Amino acid sequence: MKTKKTKKNNKVKFYQDSKELPFWNYKRIVQTGDFLYMVKGYEFGDEIIIDKEELENKFDSILQDYVLSQNSKNEEITNYCNYLIAINEIRKLEIIVEIIDRITESNEKKKSLGIEPDYSIVKELLQKVKVQKSDDISIQRQKVLDKIQKYKNQAEKSKLAIENAENDNSSDYDIDEQYIGVCLGLEMHVDPKLISLYEYGVMVKMLVSKVETINKSNQNAR
């Protein structure tokens, strides 16, 4: 059974800025409203003797500095995430379509030589993406194309939302969904307990930069 820890005000140390505050603690404060997560080493159930208003004010101060450094609203970040996730999936699926076409062409030649066609590589690739499966390769190809179009629509919708962000005052968001979106968009996973709020902000900036680079590349290709 866990023993409760009791800390008095003169022994309490709390996080001073976004470079110190672990992202996981930030999430817990946002989700639970428990500002005791501002205290270093705090775990749920610990008894901390401290003015919670002082913790709340410090958290607000850290958050204000963080928001100013990001220059992005939560709604914008979510749109950036959705856009990059869609772009990443489109690239994967387009590669699969190319492979399907090449293997289909190869299998046609095999048939003419009396060799059994083999689509095992395609089946293995399809296990790594979210798309309806079919034993008929022509139907499967169309299902992949349909999925690509769905992601293209999602990307376009998110892109428009980013462009119109100035007119969007929505503030509701899910911090877990946003964090997962950032990781998926960057195609990397980082343990939220191992990064600070500031470092999460760096990840967000990387995400935004990646989207802007893709957009510039697409514009230059036109």
Side-chain angles (χ1 to χ4, degrees), residues 70-129:
Q70 289 307 298
N71 196 31
S72 294
K73 295 183 293 185
N74 287 312
E75 186 69 20
E76 290 177 303
I77 295 170
T78 300
N79 288 326
Y80 278 115
C81 292
N82 291 337
Y83 178 79
L84 263 189
I85 290 169
I87 292 297
N88 290 339
E89 291 302 314
I90 289 169
R91 287 173 174 171
K92 292 176 189 176
L93 293 171
E94 285 180 338
I95 290 172
I96 289 177
V97 171
E98 289 181 15
I99 292 173
I100 288 175
D101 290 343
R102 291 180 183 179
I103 290 179
T104 298
E105 184 180 349
S106 174
N107 281 337
E108 288 299 320
K109 293 178 180 178
K110 286 181 179 180
K111 285 181 183 179
S112 66
L113 297 172
I115 302 173
E116 189 71 21
D118 182 10
Y119 289 101
S120 58
I121 294 177
V122 174
K123 290 181 179 180
E124 287 178 16
L125 289 172
L126 289 171
Q127 294 304 315
K128 300 177 182 179
V129 294

Side-chain angles (χ1 to χ4, degrees), residues 13-30 36-42 59 62 66 175 179 191-201:
K13 293 182 179 180
F14 49 86
Y15 299 105
Q16 297 298 315
D17 54 41
S18 63
K19 291 185 178 181
E20 277 194 354
L21 180 63
F23 178 66
W24 187 84
N25 290 54
Y26 165 74
K27 283 206 308 171
R28 295 305 295 153
I29 293 170
V30 170
L36 288 177
Y37 282 100
M38 280 289 293
V39 175
K40 293 182 178 181
Y42 171 75
F59 177 75
I62 290 175
Y66 169 73
I175 185 62
Y179 169 71
D191 189 332
K193 291 185 178 181
L194 300 180
I195 59 171
S196 66
L197 176 60
Y198 172 81
E199 288 167 327
Y200 173 68

Side-chain angles (χ1 to χ4, degrees), residues 176-193:
D176 280 323
E177 286 184 7
Q178 186 186 99
Y179 169 71
I180 292 170
V182 170
C183 289
L184 288 174
L186 292 175
E187 297 183 282
M188 61 188 291
H189 174 71
V190 180
D191 189 332
K193 291 185 178 181

